[in-house]
């Protein structure tokens, strides 16, 4: 056998191996909605994408540092089963029938869990979430051994399928020991209570939107993205570059800054010289929460509206003085952390010049600020009419001049009269 024949056989073996790999490729389903965060993004802020207390789903299942909560999750399952006559085996069979659909929700093959282990994990994790929302909504359901509601503050960024949560809750309701208990309870009612009290501060969304999109959403991050859509469509203008001064400089150029009335963060508007920015909530978990929204927006093929929002706010607050102006106008509650938070978030954003959501707004601001009339009016107002005392002094100026002229005329008239009397 010559060398060429040996090489040919080796290539055939390699081709067979590669073909085998192609046959076992994970099928990307249209149900896919859960993605592992890209490693470069994760490395920059690992704590923002890694559960600190409880593991939900297969990505972090079995990690040593999260095992202490596994016993508590099983305790939740025990209490959940005590309220229904449906046996555990029925729940497991129910999940087993849907295993393929559940696995297809993930963008990668779940190789670390066999079928039985995967089904058991789904039951424990899904019931844990149902029980968590139930206890949040109904304090009477809480027990003395509940570590979550008695000793800790649990913040969940949940990527877990609504359909299995809803289906398991509905299955539990088919036969219960207390029919009245579950009568008014649904996945929507218990989760909206949690959203209203625990998350609305991070992401102000109208409850009507939350309810309207709930049935369409795959999970909570998907629900938030469905709610975070501009209230009005805007035709993008292709930008050559993004150059805009901060809000302090815009204010000096004549732009009035005020808090927008909309609850939708994305509804930044510029009309008749007024830049209206909806209230920006800032809390200790704001950056973590926003970063998870950004990480989900791109792979799930959403139009990157939230990405554009982060870029826009970062552009408007280039310095602490910009954040202070927003604070003075009640657009933000805390100003010190704002520039840092949005500067950090913008590192995960991508600016697409011909599709930027706020391109038209930027052009309008640029044209407005270039007008000499607007600059002159702003300078007059900020330098001469910025306090009541200055206004009084400026308004008195012409009046004082009239008084001087009047007294000079009166003095001259008296002088002429006296002189004429002497001559006579």
């Amino acid at each position: 056998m010559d060398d060429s024949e040996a090489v040919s056989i080796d290539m055939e073996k390699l081709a067979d191996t590669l073909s085998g790999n192609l046959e076992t490729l994970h099928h990307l389903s249209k149900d896919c909605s859960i993605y592992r965060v890209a490693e470069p993004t994760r490395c920059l802020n690992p704590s923002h994408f890694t559960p600190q207390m409880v593991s939900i789903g297969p990505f972090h299942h079995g990690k040593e540092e999260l095992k202490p909560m596994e016993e508590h999750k099983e305790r939740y399952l025990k209490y959940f089963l005590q309220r229904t006559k449906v046996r555990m085996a029925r729940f497991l069979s129910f999940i087993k029938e849907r295993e393929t659909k559940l696995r297809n929700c993930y963008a990668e093959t779940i190789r670390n869990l066999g079928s039985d282990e995967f089904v058991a994990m789904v039951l424990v994790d899904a019931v844990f979430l149902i029980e968590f929302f139930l206890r949040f909504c109904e304090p009477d359901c809480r027990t003395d051994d509940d570590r979550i509601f008695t000793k800790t503050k649990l913040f969940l960024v949940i990527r877990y399928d609504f359909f299995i949560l809803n289906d398991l809750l509905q299955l539990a309701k088919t036969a219960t020991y207390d029919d009245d208990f579950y009568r008014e309870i649904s996945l929507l009612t218990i989760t909206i209570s949690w959203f209203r009290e625990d998350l609305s501060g991070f992401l102000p969304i109208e409850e009507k939107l939350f309810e309207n999109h709930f049935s369409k959403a795959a999970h909570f991050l998907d629900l938030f993205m469905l709610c975070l859509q501009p209230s009005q469509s805007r035709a993008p203008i292709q930008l050559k570059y993004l150059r805009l001064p901060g809000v302090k400089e815009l204010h000096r150029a004549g732009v009035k800054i005020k808090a927008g009335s909309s609850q939708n963060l994305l509804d930044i508007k510029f009309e008749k010289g007024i830049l209206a920015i909806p209230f920006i909530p800032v809390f200790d978990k704001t950056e973590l929460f926003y970063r998870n929204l950004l990480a989900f927006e791109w792979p799930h093929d959403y139009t990157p509206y939230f990405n554009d929002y982060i870029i826009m706010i970062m552009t408007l607050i280039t310095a602490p003085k910009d954040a202070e102006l927003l604070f003075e106008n009640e657009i933000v509650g805390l100003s010190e952390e704002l520039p840092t938070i949005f500067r950090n978030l913008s590192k995960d954003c991508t600016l697409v010049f011909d599709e930027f959501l706020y391109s038209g707004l930027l052009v309008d601001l640029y044209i407005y600020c270039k007008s000499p009339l607007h600059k002159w009016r702003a300078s007059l107002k900020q330098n001469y009419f910025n306090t009541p005392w200055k206004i009084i002094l400026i308004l008195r100026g012409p009046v004082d001049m009239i008084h001087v002229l009047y007294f000079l005329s009166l003095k001259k008239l008296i002088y002429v009269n006296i002189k004429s009397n002497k001559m006579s």
Side-chain angles (χ1 to χ4, degrees), residues 380 384-385 387-403:
L380 186 66
Y384 299 102
F385 293 98
T387 69
W389 297 112
K390 284 188 178 180
I391 294 172
I392 291 170
L393 289 173
I394 290 169
L395 291 177
R396 280 194 58 190
V399 176
D400 289 343
M401 183 59 70
I402 291 170
H403 286 168

Side-chain angles (χ1 to χ4, degrees), residues 29-304:
S29 167
K30 61 181 178 60
D31 297 323
C32 175
S33 63
I34 303 176
Y35 314 88
R36 194 186 292 273
V37 178
E39 197 60 29
T41 302
R42 177 184 293 279
C43 288
L44 288 173
N45 299 278
S47 64
H48 287 179
F49 304 106
T50 306
Q52 305 298 306
M53 187 184 300
V54 59
S55 166
I56 301 293
F59 285 165
H60 303 279
H61 182 75
K63 287 189 175 180
E64 198 65 36
E65 63 272 20
L66 301 174
K67 283 184 178 179
M69 275 296 289
E70 291 302 309
E71 182 180 337
H72 194 65
K73 283 160 55 174
E74 291 175 355
R75 191 175 292 113
Y76 267 26
L77 175 60
K78 176 183 175 181
Y79 286 116
F80 178 82
L81 292 171
Q82 287 175 354
R83 296 194 208 98
T84 179
K85 296 176 183 179
V86 181
R87 297 171 60 246
M88 186 190 295
R90 178 68 187 101
F91 283 111
L92 290 169
S93 298
F94 188 86
I95 295 169
K96 178 71 175 177
E97 293 164 7
R98 293 155 177 77
E99 181 181 357
T100 300
K101 183 178 180 180
L102 284 164
R103 286 182 178 270
N104 285 341
C105 291
Y106 294 88
E108 60 186 71
T109 305
I110 308 302
R111 303 184 189 278
N112 61 321
L113 297 173
S115 179
D116 289 350
E117 195 177 0
F118 181 83
V119 169
M121 177 209 69
V122 170
L123 178 62
V124 172
D125 288 356
V127 168
F128 168 75
L129 290 177
I130 294 170
E131 190 72 12
F132 170 77
F133 294 133
L134 189 60
R135 292 177 180 223
F136 194 100
C137 180
E138 300 286 342
D140 290 343
C141 293
R142 300 173 192 175
T143 53
D144 294 336
D145 58 355
D146 194 331
R147 294 169 52 194
I148 293 176
F149 289 98
T150 57
K151 294 186 179 180
T152 62
K153 175 66 173 175
L154 181 65
F155 182 84
L156 295 173
V157 177
I158 303 170
R159 302 178 189 86
Y160 211 73
D161 305 284
F162 277 164
F163 89 87
I164 195 62
L165 299 182
N166 188 61
D167 289 353
L168 289 177
L169 180 58
Q170 293 306 315
L171 179 58
K173 292 169 67 173
T174 58
T176 65
Y177 293 104
D178 182 359
D179 293 339
D180 291 336
F181 177 76
Y182 278 124
R183 184 166 295 160
E184 301 298 326
I185 287 177
S186 68
L187 186 62
L188 174 61
T189 58
I190 60 177
T191 53
I192 201 168
S193 174
W194 166 70
F195 170 78
R196 184 187 300 125
E197 295 185 38
D198 223 32
L199 275 189
S200 59
F202 295 97
L203 195 64
I205 293 175
E206 294 180 14
E207 285 191 16
K208 185 178 178 181
L209 278 178
F210 191 97
E211 295 172 5
N212 290 345
H213 291 301
F214 191 84
S215 61
K216 309 171 197 171
H219 46 69
F220 280 106
L221 284 180
D222 192 29
L223 175 59
F224 296 144
M225 293 312 306
L226 286 170
C227 294
L228 273 174
Q229 303 297 306
S231 58
Q232 296 178 342
S233 59
R234 310 182 189 196
I237 300 171
Q238 185 164 3
L239 299 173
K240 293 183 179 179
Y241 52 82
L242 179 61
R243 187 183 300 168
L244 185 73
V247 288
K248 190 70 175 180
E249 291 302 314
L250 290 175
H251 179 62
R252 287 174 180 164
V255 176
K256 185 178 179 181
I257 313 295
K258 73 170 221 176
S261 58
S262 174
Q263 277 191 279
N264 189 330
L265 286 176
L266 274 56
D267 284 350
I268 303 173
K269 297 177 181 178
F270 178 64
E271 295 175 347
K272 299 178 180 179
I274 300 173
L275 180 62
I277 305 172
F279 182 78
I280 306 171
V282 179
F283 297 93
D284 57 340
K285 300 292 184 183
T286 297
E287 186 175 342
L288 180 156
F289 188 57
Y290 283 10
R291 201 176 290 283
N292 275 269
L293 287 172
L294 286 170
F296 175 71
E297 185 176 49
W298 280 102
H300 204 57
D301 204 27
Y302 273 106
T303 303

Side-chain angles (χ1 to χ4, degrees), residues 41 44-45 49 291 294 298 307 344-350:
T41 302
L44 288 173
N45 299 278
F49 304 106
R291 201 176 290 283
L294 286 170
W298 280 102
N307 168 90
N344 291 341
L345 288 169
S346 68
K347 295 174 184 176
D348 293 335
C349 296
T350 302

